[in-house]
Amino acid sequence: VYIQSIHLSGNDKTKASIIYRELNFKEGDSLTVPQLNRSVELSEKRLFNTSLFLETHVTAQIDSNRNASIDVI
């Protein structure tokens, strides 16, 4: 799976660079589906563990061309 895009939403105070730093992947990475699932789970935990957020949600949507779009809320 190719990570095509990462979308951040619901964040008003924290700099995007801090959020991207905590993600276990970046745009352009190529992962297997199990690797992507594990990376999404780890990234959500890492964001929450910063204590900057009350809750975090990281989801991946994979299209028919095996391109992934990641939403970080």
Side-chain angles (χ1 to χ4, degrees):
V1 176
Y2 173 78
I3 298 181
Q4 185 174 11
S5 61
I6 300 172
H7 305 282
L8 304 181
S9 64
N11 173 51
D12 296 326
K13 297 179 182 178
T14 306
K15 291 182 182 181
S17 61
I18 292 172
I19 295 172
Y20 285 123
R21 178 184 70 201
E22 296 302 320
L23 298 178
N24 206 32
F25 47 78
K26 62 185 181 301
E27 286 184 12
D29 282 355
S30 182
L31 306 167
T32 65
V33 172
Q35 287 173 327
L36 177 61
N37 291 336
R38 181 72 177 137
S39 291
V40 164
E41 183 181 317
L42 286 173
S43 295
E44 191 169 310
K45 287 179 183 178
R46 287 176 59 159
L47 282 168
F48 186 76
N49 287 340
T50 64
S51 299
L52 295 171
F53 307 100
L54 297 175
E55 61 182 294
T56 57
H57 300 284
V58 180
T59 58
Q61 300 168 343
I62 303 171
D63 67 19
S64 60
N65 294 324
R66 300 189 53 81
N67 292 320
S69 176
I70 310 292
D71 294 314
V72 180
I73 303 171

Coordinates of all heavy atoms in Angstrom, one line a residue:
V1 N 0.9 -1.2 0.0 CA 0.0 0.0 0.0 C 0.9 1.2 0.0 O 1.9 1.3 0.8 CB -0.9 0.0 1.2 CG1 -1.7 1.3 1.3 CG2 -1.8 -1.2 1.3
Y2 N 0.6 2.2 -0.8 CA 1.3 3.4 -1.0 C 0.5 4.5 -0.2 O -0.7 4.7 -0.4 CB 1.4 3.8 -2.4 CG 2.0 5.1 -2.7 CD1 3.4 5.3 -2.6 CD2 1.2 6.2 -3.1 CE1 4.0 6.6 -2.9 CE2 1.8 7.5 -3.4 CZ 3.1 7.6 -3.3 OH 3.7 8.9 -3.5
I3 N 1.2 5.2 0.7 CA 0.6 6.3 1.4 C 0.6 7.6 0.6 O 1.6 8.2 0.4 CB 1.2 6.6 2.8 CG1 1.1 5.3 3.6 CG2 0.6 7.8 3.5 CD1 1.7 5.4 5.0
Q4 N -0.6 7.9 0.0 CA -0.7 9.0 -0.9 C -0.9 10.3 -0.2 O -0.4 11.3 -0.7 CB -1.9 8.7 -1.8 CG -2.1 9.7 -2.9 CD -3.2 9.3 -3.9 OE1 -4.0 8.4 -3.6 NE2 -3.3 10.0 -5.0
S5 N -1.7 10.3 0.9 CA -1.9 11.6 1.5 C -2.2 11.4 3.0 O -2.7 10.3 3.4 CB -3.1 12.4 0.9 OG -4.2 11.6 1.0
I6 N -1.9 12.5 3.8 CA -2.2 12.5 5.2 C -3.0 13.8 5.5 O -2.5 14.9 5.1 CB -1.0 12.4 6.1 CG1 -0.2 11.1 5.8 CG2 -1.3 12.6 7.6 CD1 1.2 11.1 6.5
H7 N -4.2 13.7 6.0 CA -5.0 14.8 6.3 C -5.2 15.0 7.8 O -5.5 14.1 8.5 CB -6.4 14.6 5.7 CG -6.4 14.3 4.3 ND1 -6.2 15.2 3.3 CD2 -6.5 13.1 3.6 CE1 -6.2 14.7 2.1 NE2 -6.4 13.4 2.3
L8 N -4.9 16.3 8.3 CA -5.0 16.6 9.7 C -6.3 17.4 9.8 O -6.5 18.3 9.0 CB -3.8 17.4 10.2 CG -2.4 16.9 10.0 CD1 -1.4 17.8 10.5 CD2 -2.3 15.5 10.6
S9 N -7.1 17.2 10.9 CA -8.2 18.0 11.2 C -8.5 18.0 12.6 O -8.0 17.1 13.4 CB -9.5 17.4 10.4 OG -9.8 16.1 10.8
G10 N -9.3 19.0 13.1 CA -9.6 19.1 14.5 C -8.5 19.6 15.4 O -8.7 19.6 16.6
N11 N -7.5 20.1 14.8 CA -6.4 20.6 15.6 C -6.3 22.1 15.4 O -6.2 22.7 14.3 CB -5.1 20.0 15.1 CG -3.9 20.6 15.8 OD1 -3.8 20.7 17.0 ND2 -2.9 21.0 15.0
D12 N -6.4 22.9 16.6 CA -6.3 24.3 16.5 C -5.0 24.9 17.1 O -4.7 26.0 16.7 CB -7.5 24.9 17.3 CG -8.8 24.6 16.6 OD1 -8.9 24.5 15.4 OD2 -9.8 24.4 17.4
K13 N -4.4 24.2 18.0 CA -3.3 24.8 18.7 C -1.9 24.1 18.4 O -0.9 24.8 18.3 CB -3.5 24.6 20.2 CG -4.7 25.4 20.7 CD -4.9 25.2 22.2 CE -6.2 25.9 22.6 NZ -6.5 25.7 24.1
T14 N -1.9 22.8 18.2 CA -0.6 22.1 18.0 C -0.1 22.3 16.6 O -0.9 22.2 15.6 CB -0.8 20.6 18.3 OG1 -1.3 20.5 19.6 CG2 0.5 19.9 18.3
K15 N 1.2 22.6 16.4 CA 1.8 22.7 15.1 C 1.7 21.4 14.4 O 1.9 20.3 14.9 CB 3.2 23.2 15.2 CG 3.4 24.6 15.7 CD 4.8 25.0 15.7 CE 5.0 26.4 16.3 NZ 6.4 26.8 16.3
A16 N 1.4 21.5 13.1 CA 1.3 20.3 12.2 C 2.6 19.5 12.3 O 2.6 18.2 12.3 CB 1.0 20.6 10.8
S17 N 3.8 20.1 12.4 CA 5.0 19.4 12.4 C 5.2 18.5 13.6 O 5.8 17.4 13.5 CB 6.2 20.4 12.4 OG 6.2 21.3 13.5
I18 N 4.6 18.9 14.7 CA 4.6 18.1 15.9 C 3.7 16.8 15.7 O 4.1 15.7 16.1 CB 4.1 18.9 17.2 CG1 5.2 19.9 17.5 CG2 3.9 17.9 18.4 CD1 4.8 20.9 18.5
I19 N 2.6 17.0 15.1 CA 1.7 15.8 14.8 C 2.4 14.9 13.8 O 2.5 13.7 14.0 CB 0.4 16.3 14.2 CG1 -0.4 17.1 15.3 CG2 -0.5 15.1 13.8 CD1 -1.6 17.8 14.9
Y20 N 3.0 15.4 12.7 CA 3.6 14.6 11.7 C 4.8 13.8 12.3 O 5.1 12.7 12.0 CB 4.1 15.4 10.5 CG 3.0 15.9 9.6 CD1 2.8 17.2 9.3 CD2 2.2 14.9 9.0 CE1 1.8 17.6 8.5 CE2 1.2 15.3 8.1 CZ 1.0 16.7 7.9 OH 0.0 17.0 7.0
R21 N 5.5 14.5 13.3 CA 6.6 13.9 14.0 C 6.2 12.6 14.7 O 7.0 11.6 14.8 CB 7.3 14.9 14.9 CG 8.4 14.3 15.7 CD 9.0 15.4 16.7 NE 8.0 15.5 17.7 CZ 8.0 16.6 18.5 NH1 8.8 17.6 18.4 NH2 7.1 16.7 19.5
E22 N 5.0 12.6 15.2 CA 4.6 11.4 16.0 C 4.0 10.3 15.2 O 3.8 9.2 15.7 CB 3.5 11.9 17.1 CG 4.1 12.9 18.1 CD 5.2 12.3 18.9 OE1 5.2 11.1 19.2 OE2 6.2 13.1 19.1
L23 N 3.7 10.6 13.9 CA 3.2 9.5 13.0 C 4.3 8.5 12.7 O 5.5 8.9 12.5 CB 2.6 10.1 11.8 CG 1.5 11.1 12.0 CD1 1.0 11.6 10.6 CD2 0.3 10.4 12.7
N24 N 3.9 7.3 12.6 CA 4.9 6.2 12.3 C 5.1 6.0 10.8 O 5.6 4.9 10.4 CB 4.4 4.9 13.0 CG 5.5 4.0 13.4 OD1 6.6 4.4 13.6 ND2 5.2 2.7 13.3
F25 N 4.7 6.9 10.0 CA 4.7 6.8 8.5 C 4.7 8.2 8.0 O 4.4 9.2 8.7 CB 3.5 6.0 8.0 CG 2.2 6.4 8.6 CD1 1.6 7.6 8.1 CD2 1.7 5.7 9.6 CE1 0.4 8.0 8.7 CE2 0.5 6.1 10.2 CZ -0.2 7.2 9.7
K26 N 5.0 8.4 6.7 CA 4.9 9.7 6.0 C 4.4 9.5 4.6 O 4.4 8.3 4.1 CB 6.2 10.4 6.1 CG 7.3 9.7 5.3 CD 8.7 10.4 5.5 CE 9.8 9.7 4.8 NZ 10.1 8.4 5.2
E27 N 4.0 10.6 4.0 CA 3.5 10.5 2.6 C 4.6 9.9 1.8 O 5.8 10.2 1.9 CB 3.1 11.8 2.1 CG 1.8 12.3 2.6 CD 1.3 13.6 2.0 OE1 1.9 14.1 1.0 OE2 0.4 14.2 2.6
G28 N 4.2 9.0 0.9 CA 5.2 8.4 0.0 C 5.7 7.0 0.5 O 6.3 6.3 -0.3
D29 N 5.5 6.7 1.7 CA 5.9 5.4 2.2 C 5.1 4.2 1.6 O 3.9 4.4 1.2 CB 5.7 5.3 3.7 CG 6.7 6.0 4.5 OD1 7.7 6.5 3.9 OD2 6.6 6.1 5.8
S30 N 5.7 3.1 1.5 CA 5.1 1.9 0.9 C 5.1 0.8 2.0 O 6.2 0.5 2.5 CB 5.8 1.4 -0.3 OG 5.2 0.3 -0.9
L31 N 3.9 0.3 2.4 CA 3.8 -0.6 3.5 C 2.9 -1.8 3.1 O 2.0 -1.6 2.2 CB 3.2 0.0 4.7 CG 3.9 1.3 5.3 CD1 3.0 2.0 6.3 CD2 5.2 0.9 5.9
T32 N 3.0 -2.9 3.7 CA 2.0 -3.9 3.5 C 0.8 -3.5 4.4 O 0.9 -2.7 5.2 CB 2.5 -5.3 4.0 OG1 2.8 -5.2 5.4 CG2 3.8 -5.7 3.3
V33 N -0.3 -4.2 4.1 CA -1.6 -3.9 4.9 C -1.4 -4.1 6.4 O -1.7 -3.3 7.2 CB -2.8 -4.6 4.3 CG1 -4.0 -4.4 5.2 CG2 -3.1 -4.1 2.9
P34 N -0.8 -5.3 6.8 CA -0.5 -5.4 8.2 C 0.4 -4.4 8.8 O 0.2 -3.9 9.9 CB 0.1 -6.8 8.3 CG -0.4 -7.5 7.1 CD -0.4 -6.5 6.0
Q35 N 1.4 -4.0 8.1 CA 2.3 -2.9 8.5 C 1.6 -1.6 8.7 O 1.8 -0.9 9.6 CB 3.5 -2.7 7.6 CG 4.5 -3.8 7.6 CD 5.6 -3.6 6.5 OE1 5.3 -3.1 5.4 NE2 6.8 -4.0 6.8
L36 N 0.7 -1.3 7.7 CA -0.1 -0.1 7.8 C -1.0 -0.1 9.0 O -1.1 0.9 9.7 CB -0.9 0.1 6.5 CG -1.8 1.4 6.5 CD1 -1.0 2.6 6.6 CD2 -2.6 1.4 5.2
N37 N -1.7 -1.2 9.2 CA -2.6 -1.3 10.4 C -1.8 -1.1 11.7 O -2.3 -0.4 12.6 CB -3.3 -2.6 10.4 CG -4.3 -2.7 9.2 OD1 -4.8 -1.7 8.7 ND2 -4.6 -4.0 8.8
R38 N -0.7 -1.7 11.8 CA 0.1 -1.5 13.0 C 0.6 -0.1 13.2 O 0.6 0.5 14.3 CB 1.3 -2.5 13.0 CG 2.2 -2.5 14.2 CD 1.5 -3.1 15.4 NE 2.4 -3.1 16.5 CZ 2.1 -2.7 17.7 NH1 0.8 -2.4 18.0 NH2 2.9 -2.7 18.7
S39 N 1.0 0.5 12.1 CA 1.6 1.9 12.1 C 0.5 2.9 12.5 O 0.7 3.8 13.2 CB 2.1 2.3 10.7 OG 3.3 1.5 10.5
V40 N -0.7 2.6 12.0 CA -1.9 3.5 12.4 C -2.1 3.4 13.9 O -2.3 4.4 14.6 CB -3.1 3.1 11.5 CG1 -4.4 3.7 12.1 CG2 -3.0 3.6 10.1
E41 N -2.1 2.2 14.4 CA -2.4 1.9 15.8 C -1.3 2.6 16.6 O -1.6 3.3 17.6 CB -2.4 0.4 16.1 CG -2.7 0.1 17.5 CD -2.7 -1.5 17.7 OE1 -3.3 -2.2 16.8 OE2 -2.1 -1.9 18.7
L42 N 0.0 2.4 16.3 CA 1.1 3.0 17.0 C 1.1 4.5 17.0 O 1.3 5.2 18.0 CB 2.4 2.5 16.5 CG 2.8 1.1 16.8 CD1 4.1 0.7 16.0 CD2 3.0 0.9 18.3
S43 N 0.7 5.1 15.8 CA 0.7 6.5 15.6 C -0.4 7.1 16.5 O -0.2 8.2 17.2 CB 0.4 6.9 14.2 OG 1.5 6.5 13.4
E44 N -1.5 6.5 16.6 CA -2.6 7.0 17.4 C -2.2 7.0 18.9 O -2.4 8.0 19.6 CB -3.9 6.1 17.3 CG -5.1 6.7 17.9 CD -6.4 6.0 17.5 OE1 -6.6 5.8 16.3 OE2 -7.1 5.6 18.4
K45 N -1.5 5.9 19.3 CA -1.0 5.9 20.7 C 0.1 6.9 21.0 O 0.1 7.6 22.0 CB -0.4 4.5 21.0 CG -1.5 3.4 21.2 CD -0.9 2.1 21.4 CE -2.0 1.0 21.5 NZ -1.5 -0.3 21.7
R46 N 1.0 7.1 20.0 CA 2.0 8.1 20.2 C 1.5 9.5 20.3 O 1.9 10.3 21.1 CB 3.0 8.0 19.0 CG 3.9 6.8 19.1 CD 4.8 6.7 17.9 NE 5.6 7.9 17.8 CZ 6.8 8.0 17.1 NH1 7.2 6.9 16.5 NH2 7.5 9.1 17.1
L47 N 0.5 9.8 19.5 CA -0.2 11.1 19.6 C -0.8 11.3 20.9 O -0.7 12.4 21.5 CB -1.2 11.3 18.4 CG -0.6 11.6 17.1 CD1 -1.7 11.5 16.0 CD2 0.0 13.0 17.0
F48 N -1.6 10.3 21.4 CA -2.3 10.4 22.6 C -1.3 10.6 23.8 O -1.5 11.4 24.7 CB -3.2 9.2 22.9 CG -4.0 9.3 24.1 CD1 -5.1 10.2 24.2 CD2 -3.6 8.6 25.3 CE1 -5.8 10.3 25.3 CE2 -4.4 8.8 26.4 CZ -5.5 9.6 26.4
N49 N -0.2 9.9 23.7 CA 0.9 9.9 24.8 C 1.6 11.2 24.9 O 2.3 11.4 25.9 CB 1.8 8.7 24.6 CG 1.2 7.4 25.0 OD1 0.2 7.3 25.7 ND2 1.8 6.3 24.5
T50 N 1.5 12.1 23.9 CA 2.1 13.4 24.0 C 1.4 14.3 25.1 O 1.9 15.3 25.5 CB 2.0 14.2 22.7 OG1 0.7 14.4 22.3 CG2 2.8 13.5 21.6
S51 N 0.2 13.8 25.5 CA -0.7 14.6 26.4 C -1.2 15.9 25.9 O -1.6 16.8 26.6 CB 0.0 14.8 27.8 OG 0.3 13.6 28.4
L52 N -1.0 16.1 24.6 CA -1.5 17.3 23.9 C -3.0 17.2 23.5 O -3.6 18.2 23.2 CB -0.7 17.6 22.7 CG 0.8 18.0 22.9 CD1 1.6 18.0 21.6 CD2 0.9 19.3 23.7
F53 N -3.5 16.0 23.5 CA -4.9 15.8 23.0 C -5.7 15.0 24.0 O -5.1 14.1 24.7 CB -4.8 15.0 21.7 CG -3.9 15.7 20.6 CD1 -2.6 15.2 20.4 CD2 -4.3 16.7 19.9 CE1 -1.8 15.8 19.5 CE2 -3.5 17.4 19.0 CZ -2.2 16.9 18.8
L54 N -7.0 15.3 24.1 CA -7.9 14.5 24.9 C -8.2 13.2 24.3 O -8.5 12.2 25.0 CB -9.1 15.3 25.2 CG -8.9 16.6 26.0 CD1 -10.2 17.4 26.1 CD2 -8.3 16.3 27.4
E55 N -8.3 13.1 23.0 CA -8.5 11.9 22.2 C -7.9 12.0 20.9 O -7.7 13.1 20.3 CB -10.0 11.6 22.1 CG -10.8 12.6 21.4 CD -12.3 12.2 21.4 OE1 -12.6 11.2 20.7 OE2 -13.1 13.0 22.0
T56 N -7.5 10.9 20.3 CA -6.9 10.9 19.0 C -7.6 9.8 18.1 O -8.0 8.7 18.7 CB -5.4 10.6 19.0 OG1 -5.2 9.4 19.7 CG2 -4.7 11.7 19.8
H57 N -7.7 10.0 16.8 CA -8.2 9.0 15.9 C -7.3 9.1 14.6 O -7.2 10.1 14.0 CB -9.6 9.3 15.6 CG -10.5 9.2 16.7 ND1 -10.9 8.1 17.4 CD2 -11.1 10.2 17.5 CE1 -11.7 8.4 18.4 NE2 -11.8 9.7 18.5
V58 N -6.8 8.0 14.3 CA -6.0 7.8 13.0 C -6.6 6.7 12.3 O -6.7 5.6 12.8 CB -4.5 7.6 13.3 CG1 -3.7 7.5 12.0 CG2 -3.9 8.6 14.2
T59 N -7.1 7.0 11.0 CA -7.7 6.0 10.2 C -7.1 6.0 8.8 O -6.6 7.0 8.3 CB -9.2 6.2 10.1 OG1 -9.4 7.5 9.5 CG2 -9.9 6.1 11.4
A60 N -7.1 4.8 8.2 CA -6.5 4.6 6.9 C -7.6 4.1 5.9 O -8.4 3.2 6.3 CB -5.4 3.7 6.8
Q61 N -7.7 4.8 4.8 CA -8.7 4.3 3.8 C -7.8 3.9 2.5 O -7.1 4.7 2.0 CB -9.7 5.4 3.4 CG -10.5 5.8 4.6 CD -11.3 7.1 4.4 OE1 -11.0 7.9 3.5 NE2 -12.3 7.3 5.2
I62 N -8.0 2.7 2.1 CA -7.3 2.2 0.9 C -8.2 2.1 -0.3 O -9.3 1.5 -0.2 CB -6.7 0.8 1.3 CG1 -5.8 0.9 2.5 CG2 -5.9 0.3 0.1 CD1 -5.3 -0.4 3.0
D63 N -7.8 2.7 -1.4 CA -8.6 2.6 -2.6 C -8.3 1.4 -3.4 O -7.4 0.6 -3.1 CB -8.5 3.9 -3.4 CG -7.2 4.2 -4.0 OD1 -6.4 3.2 -4.2 OD2 -6.9 5.3 -4.4
S64 N -9.0 1.3 -4.6 CA -8.8 0.1 -5.4 C -7.4 0.0 -6.0 O -7.0 -1.1 -6.4 CB -9.9 0.0 -6.5 OG -9.8 1.2 -7.3
N65 N -6.7 1.1 -6.1 CA -5.3 1.1 -6.6 C -4.3 0.9 -5.5 O -3.1 1.0 -5.8 CB -5.0 2.4 -7.4 CG -5.9 2.6 -8.6 OD1 -6.2 1.6 -9.3 ND2 -6.3 3.8 -8.8
R66 N -4.7 0.5 -4.3 CA -3.8 0.3 -3.2 C -3.1 1.5 -2.7 O -2.0 1.5 -2.2 CB -2.9 -0.9 -3.4 CG -3.6 -2.2 -3.7 CD -2.8 -3.4 -3.8 NE -1.9 -3.7 -2.6 CZ -2.3 -4.2 -1.5 NH1 -3.5 -4.6 -1.3 NH2 -1.4 -4.5 -0.5
N67 N -3.8 2.7 -2.9 CA -3.3 4.0 -2.4 C -4.0 4.2 -1.1 O -5.2 4.1 -1.0 CB -3.5 5.1 -3.4 CG -2.7 5.0 -4.6 OD1 -1.5 4.6 -4.6 ND2 -3.3 5.3 -5.8
A68 N -3.3 4.7 -0.1 CA -3.9 4.9 1.2 C -4.0 6.4 1.5 O -3.1 7.2 1.2 CB -3.1 4.3 2.3
S69 N -5.1 6.8 2.0 CA -5.4 8.2 2.5 C -5.5 8.1 4.0 O -6.4 7.3 4.5 CB -6.6 8.7 1.9 OG -6.9 10.0 2.4
I70 N -4.7 8.8 4.8 CA -4.7 8.7 6.2 C -5.4 10.0 6.8 O -5.1 11.1 6.4 CB -3.3 8.7 6.8 CG1 -2.5 7.6 6.1 CG2 -3.3 8.5 8.3 CD1 -2.9 6.2 6.3
D71 N -6.4 9.8 7.7 CA -7.0 10.9 8.4 C -6.6 10.9 9.8 O -6.6 9.8 10.5 CB -8.5 10.8 8.3 CG -9.1 10.9 6.9 OD1 -8.6 11.8 6.2 OD2 -9.9 10.1 6.5
V72 N -6.1 12.0 10.3 CA -5.7 12.2 11.7 C -6.6 13.2 12.3 O -6.6 14.4 11.9 CB -4.2 12.7 11.8 CG1 -3.8 12.8 13.3 CG2 -3.3 11.7 11.1
I73 N -7.4 12.8 13.3 CA -8.4 13.7 13.9 C -8.1 13.8 15.4 O -7.8 12.8 16.1 CB -9.8 13.2 13.7 CG1 -10.1 13.0 12.2 CG2 -10.8 14.1 14.4 CD1 -11.4 12.3 11.9

